[in-house]
């Protein structure tokens, strides 16, 4: 495909030589800058991503080498009409690409040892001078070039030296392993540019152009066309490459930020910055180990504020938050280096007293703490005073590590029931709260057989269109004497005492049955169910779901299984296996409460879920916390990058709704749209259009009730 194009003119010679040389310098400097920018994205050369980045970098540099030749020849054109052989010119570009691959490949994604830098500079130098010389071939000069050796050697030495300096500057900015700063990168690119243009001029000198009398390709690809391509075309390609590289770097940075923030959040409480329960557990385990070794004791203080709720309600949540922060600061001030403080959430704190405290020490410590907490908090011209109740458990007297915090809590409750503003040591009789749990357990056993459990459904909204596309099933227990008991109360008991298996089976069956009822009414709802850790460990799970789907003739694609992130993380290999089996069935997998567990992004990739559900605690903070916005934005970007759908739960305000939409969340769920409702209420909404809000059900949810379609 030789482009039989326009006739050559000497038009480009109108432009003064110096200007043309400067143009060549600009293009080759830009090319080198882009090449370095792409090359620094190579992390590991022997991966596909690494190879692609290197290829991009080498292509950019090859564009630079080639452009500097075309523009350089046009800067001082021979005194006769000349043109290029198109294919030959492409061949020169390919040769430049090979040299660039070798040169950049030597130093990309590795530690830049002097040996590698020298090899790289050598390859680039030979490549540059070689292709500068080759570049004369597509001109088809007559009678033909006779090379003068000395200028050629000088060109080669200059090119290698220049490339060596350029690579040196690039790695000087970093420390051989880290990428250079942008200033050093620009310096390095300029040195590359200068050495490309200079060596090209030396090569032209060595070729003795003055002795030539004509070009056999005078009527082929015009020099002016190529110069245009080499300047405007090259710059356009290079700028696109640079933009791409910069965008990729930004995305990577925001992902990294999100990951660190997620990690920080999984160990710290967002409000006070104190360690959370998870981190406290770790610190306690360590302290117990040390105490065992030294035959020492420890004290755990469970601190709960008295009368915090009225403060929160009368002065507002923002002031309530300030009080919680102030208390955290006072506890921190009180803690000695061997003590630890944590915030459990709400108005509950934990403190670990080290250094072998006696019961009396712990008591005195608690009294002092209470005095400090009891001093008025002044904020924004207002004043709030709270007292506190403290429960104390001493290790090892008051139980093994697994029971310490619960026992300290039981002691706190006892202090509170004594009127508050006091402290109490743990005593065995205080675990009567456990008796209450045993009562619940006894009732729960009956609940299943007596039909006291039922499911309510909370709609999921497609964010861009605002249409209802499905619903999440949530369990409710209508207790004969206590009234409605929430899942947060009874699911943990069911899990602890082995009832969750039977309840989970009932849930699967019931959700599929309901989906069948809706289908018969002409409504093809997508239904999501929550799976507990216990269910996930059960090898029967996938078969059970399969059977329920078949029994009620529900398409697997209509069912989503939500698995809490921490559960998926705790038992990783098992979770991966189970998710694999569920995927084979064709049901969807969603990672629930995302952001609350130990998030490992690489593990997420392995777990082949289709959806992430951002925990409502992040959504709650969206309006007030830039951190929360950064995390959610990062999570959404991450999810898009690895091809996951993102759902946000707990959307309560219009402002949260708008922020989440602008981030590109796929689906939303929350009280703003609809609270969990009975299946009948949901049908009424879909069929008769009587719902809490003016939302439409997606058209495709309505089944065409064609003859024979009814089951
Ligand atoms: P989850 O899976 O994270 O469910 C979302 C919870 O957030 C539900 O509480 C829902 O009513 C509530 N919610 C929804 N929108 C909003 C909102 O805008 N603001 C606020 N503040 N809350 C909102 P619910 O029904 O009390 O469920 C609590 C948890 O109990 C669920 O959390 C889930 O982990 C568990 N659970 C519920 N049903 C089942 C079940 O059938 N099986 C299992 N294994 N767990 C269940
Ligand atoms: Ca859920
Ligand atoms: Ca959740």
């Amino acid at each position: 495909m030789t482009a039989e194009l326009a006739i050559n003119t000497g038009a480009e010679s109108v432009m003064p030589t110096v200007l043309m040389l400067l143009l060549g310098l600009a293009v080759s400097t830009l090319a080198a800058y882009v090449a370095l920018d792409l090359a620094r994205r190579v992390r590991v050369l022997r991966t596909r991503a690494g190879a692609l980045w290197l290829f991009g970098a080498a292509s950019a540099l090859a564009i630079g080498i080639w452009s500097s030749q075309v523009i350089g020849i046009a800067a001082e054109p021979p005194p006769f009409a000349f043109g290029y052989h198109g294919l030959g010119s492409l061949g020169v570009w390919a040769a430049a690409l090979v040299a660039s691959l070798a040169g950049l490949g030597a130093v990309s994604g590795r530690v830049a040892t002097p040996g590698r830098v020298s090899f790289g500079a050598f390859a680039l130098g030979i490549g540059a001078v070689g292709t500068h010389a080759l570049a004369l071939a597509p001109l088809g000069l007559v009678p033909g070039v006779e090379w003068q050796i000395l200028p050629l050697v000088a060109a080669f030495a200059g090119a290698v030296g220049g490339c060596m300096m350029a690579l040196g500057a690039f790695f000087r900015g970093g420390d051989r392993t880290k990428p250079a700063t942008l200033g050093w990168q620009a310096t390095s690119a300029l040195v590359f540019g200068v050495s490309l243009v200079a060596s090209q001029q030396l090569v032209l000198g060595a070729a003795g152009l003055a002795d030539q009398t004509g070009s056999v390709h005078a009527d082929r690809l015009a020099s002016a066309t190529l110069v245009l391509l080499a300047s405007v075309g090259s710059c356009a390609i290079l700028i696109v490459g640079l933009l791409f590289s910069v965008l990729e770097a930004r995305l990577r940075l925001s992902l990294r930020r999100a990951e660190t923030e997620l990690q920080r959040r999984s160990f710290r409480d967002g409000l006070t910055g104190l360690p959370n329960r998870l981190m406290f557990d770790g610190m306690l385990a360590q302290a117990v180990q040390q105490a065992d070794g030294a035959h020492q004791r420890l004290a755990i203080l469970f601190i709960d504020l008295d009368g915090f709720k009225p403060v929160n309600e009368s002065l507002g949540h923002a002031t309530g938050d300030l009080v919680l922060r102030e208390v955290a600061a006072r506890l921190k001030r009180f803690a000695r280096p061997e003590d630890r403080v944590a915030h459990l959430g709400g108005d509950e704190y934990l403190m670990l007293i080290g250094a072998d405290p006696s019961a009396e020490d712990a008591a005195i410590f608690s009294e002092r703490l209470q005095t400090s907490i009891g001093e008025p908090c002044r904020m924004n011209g207002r004043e709030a005073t709270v007292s506190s109740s403290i429960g104390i458990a001493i290790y090892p007297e008051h139980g093994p590590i697994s029971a310490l915090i619960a026992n300290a809590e039981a002691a706190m409750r006892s202090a509170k029931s004594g009127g508050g503003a006091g402290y109490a040591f743990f005593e065995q009789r205080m675990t009567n709260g456990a008796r209450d749990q045993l009562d619940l357990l006894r009732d729960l056993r009956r609940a299943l057989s007596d039909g006291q459990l039922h499911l309510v459904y909370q709609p999921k909204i497609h964010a861009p269109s605002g249409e209802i596309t499905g619903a999440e099933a949530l369990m409710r227990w209508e207790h004969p004497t206590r009234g409605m008991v929430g899942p947060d109360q009874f699911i943990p008991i069911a899990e602890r005492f082995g009832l969750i298996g039977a309840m989970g089976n009932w849930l699967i069956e019931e959700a599929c049955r309901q989906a069948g009822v809706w289908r018969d009414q002409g409504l093809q709802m997508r239904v999501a169910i929550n799976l507990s850790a216990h269910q996930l460990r059960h090898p029967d799970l996938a078969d059970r779901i399969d059977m329920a789907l078949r029994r009620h003739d529900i398409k697997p694609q209509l069912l989503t299984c939500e698995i809490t992130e921490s559960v998926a993380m705790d038992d990783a290999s098992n979770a991966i296996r189970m998710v694999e089996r569920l995927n084979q069935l064709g049901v969807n997998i969603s990672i629930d409460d995302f952001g609350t567990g130990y998030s490992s992004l690489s593990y997420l990739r392995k777990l082949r879920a289709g959806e992430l559900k951002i925990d409502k605690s992040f959504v709650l903070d969206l309006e007030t916390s830039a951190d929360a916005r950064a995390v959610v934005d990062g999570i959404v970007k991450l999810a898009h990058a690895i091809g996951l759908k993102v759902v946000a739960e707990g959307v309560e305000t219009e402002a949260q709704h708008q922020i989440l939409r602008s981030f590109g969340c796929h689906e939303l769920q929350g009280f703003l749209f609809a609270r969990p409702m009975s299946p009948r209420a949901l049908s009424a909404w879909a069929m008769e259009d009587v719902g809490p809000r003016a939302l439409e059900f997606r058209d495709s949810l309505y089944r065409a009730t064609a003859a024979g379609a009814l089951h």
Side-chain angles (χ1 to χ4, degrees):
M1 56 132 255
T2 350
E4 309 252 359
L5 256 169
I7 313 297
N8 165 64
T9 69
E12 65 282 5
S13 61
V14 176
M15 220 193 238
T17 306
V18 180
L19 273 188
M20 285 298 274
L21 287 180
L22 283 179
L23 176 66
L25 178 64
V27 177
S28 43
T29 303
L30 175 64
Y33 188 86
V34 177
L36 290 173
D37 214 71
L38 293 170
R40 63 199 286 167
R41 310 264 169 266
V42 180
R43 297 265 135 67
V44 185
L45 196 53
R46 255 180 255 128
T47 58
R48 224 177 74 189
L52 280 176
W53 285 121
L54 176 65
F55 187 78
S59 306
L61 195 59
I63 288 179
I65 297 176
W66 179 82
S67 300
S68 73
Q69 289 154 3
V70 172
I71 300 174
I73 292 173
E76 279 175 289
F80 46 81
F82 69 100
Y84 285 89
H85 186 281
L87 261 188
S89 198
L90 206 62
V92 173
W93 184 84
L97 178 66
V98 172
S100 305
L101 276 174
L104 292 175
V107 289
S108 299
R110 326 171 179 205
V111 177
T113 57
R116 287 195 186 129
V117 169
S118 311
F119 176 82
F122 195 75
L124 289 175
I126 287 199
V129 172
T131 53
H132 290 328
L134 266 183
L136 295 177
L139 284 171
L141 293 173
V142 180
V145 173
E146 267 188 41
W147 291 102
Q148 289 169 279
I149 295 304
L150 227 59
L152 207 55
V153 172
F156 174 66
V160 172
C163 292
M164 191 89 93
M165 269 163 47
L167 287 181
F170 186 60
F171 289 106
R172 167 90 28 92
D175 61 357
R176 288 208 204 151
T177 50
K178 271 198 252 122
T181 59
L182 292 186
W184 280 108
Q185 184 174 325
T187 311
S188 166
L190 186 65
V191 177
F192 261 124
V194 169
S195 48
L196 281 183
V197 171
S199 62
Q200 200 257 348
Q201 289 299 310
L202 285 172
V203 169
L204 284 188
L209 275 193
D211 300 334
Q212 305 301 316
T213 56
S215 150
V216 293
H217 301 312
D219 56 345
R220 293 258 175 111
L221 201 51
S223 169
T225 314
L226 274 199
V227 169
L228 206 64
L229 200 62
S231 46
V232 182
S234 299
C235 284
I237 296 177
L238 291 170
I239 286 170
V240 169
L242 188 61
L243 277 180
F244 183 68
S245 175
V246 168
L247 283 181
E248 199 274 345
R250 282 234 187 117
L251 175 65
R252 197 169 281 276
L253 192 70
S254 75
L255 287 183
R256 219 181 2 239
R257 259 201 223 130
E259 185 154 27
T260 11
E261 178 60 22
L262 279 174
Q263 239 155 27
R264 200 186 65 81
R265 275 194 171 232
S266 58
F267 288 112
R268 298 246 165 215
D269 163 64
L271 180 66
T272 59
L274 286 178
N276 61 10
R277 171 69 188 258
L278 195 63
M279 189 163 172
F280 189 83
D281 283 344
M283 297 189 301
L284 180 62
Q286 204 179 9
V288 161
Q289 206 176 20
Q290 279 170 3
D292 283 345
H295 299 290
Q296 290 189 340
R297 311 204 291 179
L298 293 171
I300 308 288
L301 272 45
F302 197 107
I303 305 154
D304 187 285
L305 305 184
D306 304 323
F308 176 71
K309 224 174 172 186
V311 168
N312 217 11
E313 279 161 10
S314 60
L315 300 182
H317 285 276
T319 313
D321 285 353
L322 287 178
V323 172
L324 293 178
R325 280 203 194 123
E326 175 59 27
V327 170
R330 290 181 191 179
L331 292 180
K332 243 185 335 199
R333 240 176 281 141
F334 238 84
R336 303 160 303 168
E338 60 273 22
D339 304 334
R340 298 282 177 267
V341 189
H343 185 210
L344 281 183
D347 56 355
E348 296 177 338
Y349 302 83
L350 276 175
M351 203 157 170
L352 169 76
I353 315 288
D356 203 17
S358 64
E360 206 179 320
D361 293 339
I364 295 173
F365 200 97
S366 301
E367 272 172 19
R368 289 207 193 125
L369 263 185
Q370 284 175 320
T371 312
S372 164
I373 295 174
E375 276 164 22
C377 302
R378 287 188 191 84
M379 312 130 300
N380 310 335
R382 297 188 184 197
E383 205 179 271
T385 309
V386 288
S387 61
S388 55
S389 300
I390 301 183
I392 308 170
I394 307 273
Y395 177 81
E397 284 97 311
H398 292 157
I401 177 170
S402 57
L404 275 182
I405 297 179
N407 289 350
E409 183 176 2
M412 182 277 290
R413 297 218 176 284
S414 149
K416 200 155 246 189
S417 60
Y423 64 85
F425 281 93
F426 172 72
E427 292 168 29
Q428 206 57 49
R429 65 173 174 79
M430 289 172 178
T431 41
N432 286 353
R435 192 170 299 156
D436 189 47
Q437 295 218 336
L438 286 179
D439 287 348
L440 266 186
L441 173 64
R442 187 199 54 217
D443 297 347
L444 194 54
R445 286 191 205 281
R446 224 175 298 140
L448 200 54
S449 51
D450 288 3
Q452 293 166 8
L453 293 179
H454 63 268
L455 294 180
V456 289
Y457 293 83
Q458 188 179 30
K460 284 184 167 179
I461 312 299
H462 179 238
S465 66
E467 291 169 337
I468 298 175
T469 57
E472 175 179 3
L474 295 160
M475 219 183 274
R476 294 292 178 264
W477 178 13
E478 188 74 53
H479 190 280
T481 55
R482 293 173 194 241
M484 191 70 85
V485 184
D488 286 336
Q489 277 181 56
F490 67 83
I491 299 258
I493 299 181
E495 286 192 321
R496 205 165 330 135
F497 296 101
L499 273 181
I500 193 76
M503 279 167 57
N505 293 344
W506 171 81
L507 159 79
I508 294 168
E509 180 63 26
E510 172 61 17
C512 291
R513 189 194 64 78
Q514 182 59 49
V517 171
W518 276 324
R519 192 230 13 253
D520 293 347
Q521 296 174 343
L523 187 63
Q524 190 157 260
M525 281 301 270
R526 282 169 49 223
V527 174
I529 57 174
N530 291 283
L531 295 183
S532 75
H534 177 90
Q535 283 177 285
L536 213 61
R537 275 194 298 271
H538 216 284
D540 278 357
L541 177 67
D543 291 340
R544 228 168 241 292
I545 292 182
D546 190 25
M547 261 155 46
L549 288 170
R550 284 175 200 276
R551 187 159 34 239
H552 297 284
D553 197 9
I554 307 294
K555 290 193 200 114
Q557 301 83 283
L558 291 182
L559 186 73
T560 299
C561 295
E562 298 191 0
I563 302 168
T564 306
E565 183 193 17
S566 52
V567 167
M569 292 294 177
D570 283 349
D571 195 356
S573 58
N574 180 51
I576 292 178
R577 227 173 309 128
M578 188 47 84
V579 167
E580 192 66 36
R581 295 222 24 221
L582 292 172
N583 268 326
Q584 278 165 4
L585 279 188
V587 304
N588 310 296
I589 306 294
S590 173
I591 307 292
D592 205 352
D593 300 341
F594 185 76
T596 56
Y598 321 76
S599 310
S600 146
L601 302 182
S602 55
Y603 168 64
L604 264 186
R605 273 181 216 238
K606 263 191 240 148
L607 194 68
R608 292 196 14 236
E611 179 182 294
L612 282 189
K613 205 164 177 187
I614 299 178
D615 188 60
K616 49 181 173 290
S617 62
F618 291 98
V619 175
L620 187 68
D621 291 351
L622 273 183
E623 287 169 73
T624 50
S625 152
D627 272 354
R629 280 194 296 275
V631 172
V632 173
D633 191 24
I635 293 176
V636 177
K637 285 202 177 99
L638 149 82
H640 286 178
I642 57 182
L644 294 180
K645 236 169 66 177
V646 191
V647 184
E649 64 175 12
V651 185
E652 292 184 354
T653 69
E654 190 54 38
Q656 291 163 354
H657 174 199
Q658 292 312 332
I659 296 174
L660 290 164
R661 260 183 67 158
S662 72
F663 285 163
C665 265
H666 197 265
E667 281 190 327
L668 306 171
Q669 200 182 355
F671 293 168
L672 175 66
F673 307 104
R675 291 187 176 249
M677 55 178 74
S678 70
R680 188 174 308 185
L682 197 74
S683 315
W685 191 359
M687 301 301 173
E688 293 147 34
D689 214 12
V690 280
R693 232 174 162 239
L695 293 172
E696 298 289 326
F697 282 70
R698 168 157 289 196
D699 274 348
S700 60
L701 296 191
Y702 296 99
R703 273 167 63 88
T705 30
L710 283 174
H711 294 263

